[in-house]
Amino acid sequence: MSESAPPIHTASEHLKRAIRDIHDFPRKGIIFKDITPILQDAGLFTQAVNLFVEANRGRRIDKVVGIDARGFLFGAAAAYAMGAGFVPVRKKGKLPAQTRTASYTLEYGEATVEIHCDAITPGERVVLIDDLLATGGTAAAAVALLGELKADLVETQFLIELGFLNGRERMGSAPVRSFISF
């Protein structure tokens, strides 16, 4: 983070104010937390990425793992800034090489994510990044995949956490950090 960047708590407040609520998306009764205003503003996007970078300062991180799709935005940028590799966790059928898969339940069905089998060498230190922790199903599936690959999971990190949905509880023993809470 540059010397002129605001402290983390100030950056989090600026970012929180930029997030807009979209009612009844993707279906009736859901209030979607839209981060596109952050992505569209260079200063806000930089602040968001810097939150992840600063959270990992002083740690050896070999790989940043980003969850499809918004985790790619923050994860890849943070990996670049940290001098780490980037590994995508994708929706089923999107990765070309041999994969490991993990399925999880949604409030309206089931979904599956996957990771390349050779994406992580056992013992590599990784941080898992995504934009939002809600019910925790997708992140828990990603954590399970990292366990199968014998990664050393340093922390799971989320720009936003919807605390009332208790997603943190599904992370098991994986450390969880979020920068903005609703």
PDB file of all heavy atoms in Angstrom, residues 9 14 26-27 29 37 41-42 48 51 65 79 83 95 103 139 155-156 164 172 182:
ATOM      1  N   HIS A   9      -9.247   0.789   8.217  1.00  0.00           N
ATOM      2  CA  HIS A   9     -10.620   1.076   8.649  1.00  0.00           C
ATOM      3  C   HIS A   9     -11.250   2.187   7.818  1.00  0.00           C
ATOM      4  O   HIS A   9     -12.426   2.126   7.495  1.00  0.00           O
ATOM      5  CB  HIS A   9     -10.675   1.394  10.147  1.00  0.00           C
ATOM      6  CG  HIS A   9     -10.023   2.674  10.525  1.00  0.00           C
ATOM      7  ND1 HIS A   9      -8.659   2.788  10.671  1.00  0.00           N
ATOM      8  CD2 HIS A   9     -10.535   3.895  10.766  1.00  0.00           C
ATOM      9  CE1 HIS A   9      -8.359   4.040  10.996  1.00  0.00           C
ATOM     10  NE2 HIS A   9      -9.471   4.732  11.057  1.00  0.00           N
ATOM     11  N   HIS A  14     -14.931   3.731   3.164  1.00  0.00           N
ATOM     12  CA  HIS A  14     -15.120   4.290   1.814  1.00  0.00           C
ATOM     13  C   HIS A  14     -15.717   3.233   0.887  1.00  0.00           C
ATOM     14  O   HIS A  14     -16.635   3.515   0.114  1.00  0.00           O
ATOM     15  CB  HIS A  14     -13.797   4.761   1.209  1.00  0.00           C
ATOM     16  CG  HIS A  14     -13.247   6.000   1.830  1.00  0.00           C
ATOM     17  ND1 HIS A  14     -11.905   6.223   1.955  1.00  0.00           N
ATOM     18  CD2 HIS A  14     -13.855   7.076   2.369  1.00  0.00           C
ATOM     19  CE1 HIS A  14     -11.710   7.380   2.546  1.00  0.00           C
ATOM     20  NE2 HIS A  14     -12.875   7.922   2.806  1.00  0.00           N
ATOM     21  N   PRO A  26     -30.434 -12.163  -7.419  1.00  0.00           N
ATOM     22  CA  PRO A  26     -30.875 -12.680  -8.707  1.00  0.00           C
ATOM     23  C   PRO A  26     -32.304 -13.228  -8.689  1.00  0.00           C
ATOM     24  O   PRO A  26     -32.811 -13.651  -9.727  1.00  0.00           O
ATOM     25  CB  PRO A  26     -29.883 -13.810  -9.007  1.00  0.00           C
ATOM     26  CG  PRO A  26     -29.458 -14.285  -7.666  1.00  0.00           C
ATOM     27  CD  PRO A  26     -29.511 -13.085  -6.758  1.00  0.00           C
ATOM     28  N   ARG A  27     -32.929 -13.216  -7.510  1.00  0.00           N
ATOM     29  CA  ARG A  27     -34.344 -13.616  -7.451  1.00  0.00           C
ATOM     30  C   ARG A  27     -35.029 -12.868  -6.316  1.00  0.00           C
ATOM     31  O   ARG A  27     -34.384 -12.266  -5.461  1.00  0.00           O
ATOM     32  CB  ARG A  27     -34.489 -15.122  -7.306  1.00  0.00           C
ATOM     33  CG  ARG A  27     -33.697 -15.773  -6.221  1.00  0.00           C
ATOM     34  CD  ARG A  27     -33.981 -17.256  -6.217  1.00  0.00           C
ATOM     35  NE  ARG A  27     -34.596 -17.577  -4.956  1.00  0.00           N
ATOM     36  CZ  ARG A  27     -34.022 -18.319  -4.023  1.00  0.00           C
ATOM     37  NH1 ARG A  27     -32.868 -18.869  -4.247  1.00  0.00           N
ATOM     38  NH2 ARG A  27     -34.612 -18.528  -2.885  1.00  0.00           N
ATOM     39  N   GLY A  29     -36.638 -11.463  -3.104  1.00  0.00           N
ATOM     40  CA  GLY A  29     -36.312 -11.625  -1.700  1.00  0.00           C
ATOM     41  C   GLY A  29     -34.831 -11.490  -1.372  1.00  0.00           C
ATOM     42  O   GLY A  29     -34.461 -11.361  -0.214  1.00  0.00           O
ATOM     43  N   PRO A  37     -19.609  -0.590  -8.478  1.00  0.00           N
ATOM     44  CA  PRO A  37     -19.117   0.778  -8.290  1.00  0.00           C
ATOM     45  C   PRO A  37     -17.662   0.820  -7.795  1.00  0.00           C
ATOM     46  O   PRO A  37     -16.914   1.737  -8.136  1.00  0.00           O
ATOM     47  CB  PRO A  37     -20.074   1.363  -7.250  1.00  0.00           C
ATOM     48  CG  PRO A  37     -21.344   0.589  -7.452  1.00  0.00           C
ATOM     49  CD  PRO A  37     -20.878  -0.816  -7.760  1.00  0.00           C
ATOM     50  N   ASP A  41     -14.234   2.413 -10.225  1.00  0.00           N
ATOM     51  CA  ASP A  41     -13.486   3.559  -9.716  1.00  0.00           C
ATOM     52  C   ASP A  41     -12.059   3.111  -9.401  1.00  0.00           C
ATOM     53  O   ASP A  41     -11.847   2.297  -8.497  1.00  0.00           O
ATOM     54  CB  ASP A  41     -14.186   4.089  -8.453  1.00  0.00           C
ATOM     55  CG  ASP A  41     -13.513   5.313  -7.888  1.00  0.00           C
ATOM     56  OD1 ASP A  41     -12.398   5.177  -7.334  1.00  0.00           O
ATOM     57  OD2 ASP A  41     -14.093   6.401  -7.977  1.00  0.00           O
ATOM     58  N   ALA A  42     -11.088   3.645 -10.118  1.00  0.00           N
ATOM     59  CA  ALA A  42      -9.690   3.202  -9.952  1.00  0.00           C
ATOM     60  C   ALA A  42      -9.212   3.323  -8.509  1.00  0.00           C
ATOM     61  O   ALA A  42      -8.540   2.433  -7.990  1.00  0.00           O
ATOM     62  CB  ALA A  42      -8.778   3.995 -10.887  1.00  0.00           C
ATOM     63  N   ALA A  48      -9.457  -1.535  -2.399  1.00  0.00           N
ATOM     64  CA  ALA A  48      -9.937  -2.889  -2.121  1.00  0.00           C
ATOM     65  C   ALA A  48      -8.798  -3.905  -2.255  1.00  0.00           C
ATOM     66  O   ALA A  48      -8.597  -4.744  -1.372  1.00  0.00           O
ATOM     67  CB  ALA A  48     -11.093  -3.249  -3.045  1.00  0.00           C
ATOM     68  N   LEU A  51      -6.347  -3.802   0.611  1.00  0.00           N
ATOM     69  CA  LEU A  51      -6.772  -4.454   1.854  1.00  0.00           C
ATOM     70  C   LEU A  51      -6.233  -5.881   1.910  1.00  0.00           C
ATOM     71  O   LEU A  51      -5.706  -6.323   2.937  1.00  0.00           O
ATOM     72  CB  LEU A  51      -8.297  -4.467   1.973  1.00  0.00           C
ATOM     73  CG  LEU A  51      -8.979  -3.127   2.206  1.00  0.00           C
ATOM     74  CD1 LEU A  51     -10.493  -3.284   2.125  1.00  0.00           C
ATOM     75  CD2 LEU A  51      -8.572  -2.537   3.550  1.00  0.00           C
ATOM     76  N   VAL A  65      -5.491 -18.023  -4.184  1.00  0.00           N
ATOM     77  CA  VAL A  65      -6.550 -18.798  -4.805  1.00  0.00           C
ATOM     78  C   VAL A  65      -7.789 -17.910  -4.847  1.00  0.00           C
ATOM     79  O   VAL A  65      -8.222 -17.391  -3.814  1.00  0.00           O
ATOM     80  CB  VAL A  65      -6.827 -20.092  -4.010  1.00  0.00           C
ATOM     81  CG1 VAL A  65      -7.984 -20.869  -4.634  1.00  0.00           C
ATOM     82  CG2 VAL A  65      -5.566 -20.947  -3.930  1.00  0.00           C
ATOM     83  N   ALA A  79      -2.452 -11.088  -6.001  1.00  0.00           N
ATOM     84  CA  ALA A  79      -1.331 -11.993  -6.272  1.00  0.00           C
ATOM     85  C   ALA A  79      -0.217 -11.251  -6.989  1.00  0.00           C
ATOM     86  O   ALA A  79       0.964 -11.391  -6.640  1.00  0.00           O
ATOM     87  CB  ALA A  79      -1.804 -13.192  -7.103  1.00  0.00           C
ATOM     88  N   GLY A  83       3.550 -10.663  -5.517  1.00  0.00           N
ATOM     89  CA  GLY A  83       4.568 -11.495  -6.148  1.00  0.00           C
ATOM     90  C   GLY A  83       4.282 -12.980  -5.986  1.00  0.00           C
ATOM     91  O   GLY A  83       5.203 -13.797  -5.916  1.00  0.00           O
ATOM     92  N   LEU A  95     -12.405 -25.686 -16.429  1.00  0.00           N
ATOM     93  CA  LEU A  95     -10.954 -25.855 -16.427  1.00  0.00           C
ATOM     94  C   LEU A  95     -10.567 -26.964 -17.399  1.00  0.00           C
ATOM     95  O   LEU A  95     -11.194 -28.027 -17.413  1.00  0.00           O
ATOM     96  CB  LEU A  95     -10.456 -26.176 -15.018  1.00  0.00           C
ATOM     97  CG  LEU A  95     -10.576 -25.038 -14.007  1.00  0.00           C
ATOM     98  CD1 LEU A  95     -10.187 -25.511 -12.614  1.00  0.00           C
ATOM     99  CD2 LEU A  95      -9.738 -23.840 -14.416  1.00  0.00           C
ATOM    100  N   SER A 103     -18.634 -30.534  -4.408  1.00  0.00           N
ATOM    101  CA  SER A 103     -20.009 -30.065  -4.557  1.00  0.00           C
ATOM    102  C   SER A 103     -20.516 -29.530  -3.225  1.00  0.00           C
ATOM    103  O   SER A 103     -20.037 -29.930  -2.159  1.00  0.00           O
ATOM    104  CB  SER A 103     -20.910 -31.205  -5.037  1.00  0.00           C
ATOM    105  OG  SER A 103     -20.524 -31.608  -6.329  1.00  0.00           O
ATOM    106  N   ALA A 139     -17.113 -21.155  -0.584  1.00  0.00           N
ATOM    107  CA  ALA A 139     -15.812 -21.040   0.081  1.00  0.00           C
ATOM    108  C   ALA A 139     -15.450 -22.330   0.802  1.00  0.00           C
ATOM    109  O   ALA A 139     -14.299 -22.767   0.760  1.00  0.00           O
ATOM    110  CB  ALA A 139     -15.816 -19.858   1.039  1.00  0.00           C
ATOM    111  N   GLU A 155      -5.089 -18.310   5.305  1.00  0.00           N
ATOM    112  CA  GLU A 155      -6.297 -17.586   5.696  1.00  0.00           C
ATOM    113  C   GLU A 155      -7.273 -17.556   4.527  1.00  0.00           C
ATOM    114  O   GLU A 155      -6.868 -17.608   3.377  1.00  0.00           O
ATOM    115  CB  GLU A 155      -5.927 -16.156   6.102  1.00  0.00           C
ATOM    116  CG  GLU A 155      -6.969 -15.414   6.882  1.00  0.00           C
ATOM    117  CD  GLU A 155      -6.423 -14.138   7.515  1.00  0.00           C
ATOM    118  OE1 GLU A 155      -5.940 -13.259   6.765  1.00  0.00           O
ATOM    119  OE2 GLU A 155      -6.471 -14.041   8.744  1.00  0.00           O
ATOM    120  N   THR A 156      -8.558 -17.462   4.857  1.00  0.00           N
ATOM    121  CA  THR A 156      -9.583 -17.147   3.864  1.00  0.00           C
ATOM    122  C   THR A 156      -9.923 -15.678   4.048  1.00  0.00           C
ATOM    123  O   THR A 156     -10.073 -15.220   5.187  1.00  0.00           O
ATOM    124  CB  THR A 156     -10.839 -18.025   4.036  1.00  0.00           C
ATOM    125  OG1 THR A 156     -11.401 -17.803   5.322  1.00  0.00           O
ATOM    126  CG2 THR A 156     -10.515 -19.499   3.863  1.00  0.00           C
ATOM    127  N   PHE A 164     -24.952 -12.160   9.174  1.00  0.00           N
ATOM    128  CA  PHE A 164     -26.225 -12.746   9.588  1.00  0.00           C
ATOM    129  C   PHE A 164     -26.499 -14.092   8.915  1.00  0.00           C
ATOM    130  O   PHE A 164     -27.372 -14.833   9.350  1.00  0.00           O
ATOM    131  CB  PHE A 164     -27.382 -11.773   9.324  1.00  0.00           C
ATOM    132  CG  PHE A 164     -27.550 -11.401   7.875  1.00  0.00           C
ATOM    133  CD1 PHE A 164     -28.420 -12.107   7.053  1.00  0.00           C
ATOM    134  CD2 PHE A 164     -26.844 -10.330   7.333  1.00  0.00           C
ATOM    135  CE1 PHE A 164     -28.579 -11.772   5.717  1.00  0.00           C
ATOM    136  CE2 PHE A 164     -26.995  -9.977   6.007  1.00  0.00           C
ATOM    137  CZ  PHE A 164     -27.862 -10.701   5.187  1.00  0.00           C
ATOM    138  N   GLY A 172     -14.913 -24.226   9.029  1.00  0.00           N
ATOM    139  CA  GLY A 172     -14.193 -25.167   9.884  1.00  0.00           C
ATOM    140  C   GLY A 172     -13.070 -24.469  10.620  1.00  0.00           C
ATOM    141  O   GLY A 172     -13.260 -23.399  11.194  1.00  0.00           O
ATOM    142  N   PHE A 182     -21.789  -6.646   6.852  1.00  0.00           N
ATOM    143  CA  PHE A 182     -23.188  -6.216   6.806  1.00  0.00           C
ATOM    144  C   PHE A 182     -23.970  -7.170   7.670  1.00  0.00           C
ATOM    145  O   PHE A 182     -23.627  -8.330   7.831  1.00  0.00           O
ATOM    146  CB  PHE A 182     -23.746  -6.242   5.386  1.00  0.00           C
ATOM    147  CG  PHE A 182     -23.209  -5.143   4.490  1.00  0.00           C
ATOM    148  CD1 PHE A 182     -22.174  -5.402   3.607  1.00  0.00           C
ATOM    149  CD2 PHE A 182     -23.748  -3.877   4.537  1.00  0.00           C
ATOM    150  CE1 PHE A 182     -21.687  -4.410   2.777  1.00  0.00           C
ATOM    151  CE2 PHE A 182     -23.261  -2.871   3.700  1.00  0.00           C
ATOM    152  CZ  PHE A 182     -22.231  -3.140   2.821  1.00  0.00           C
TER     153      PHE A 182
END
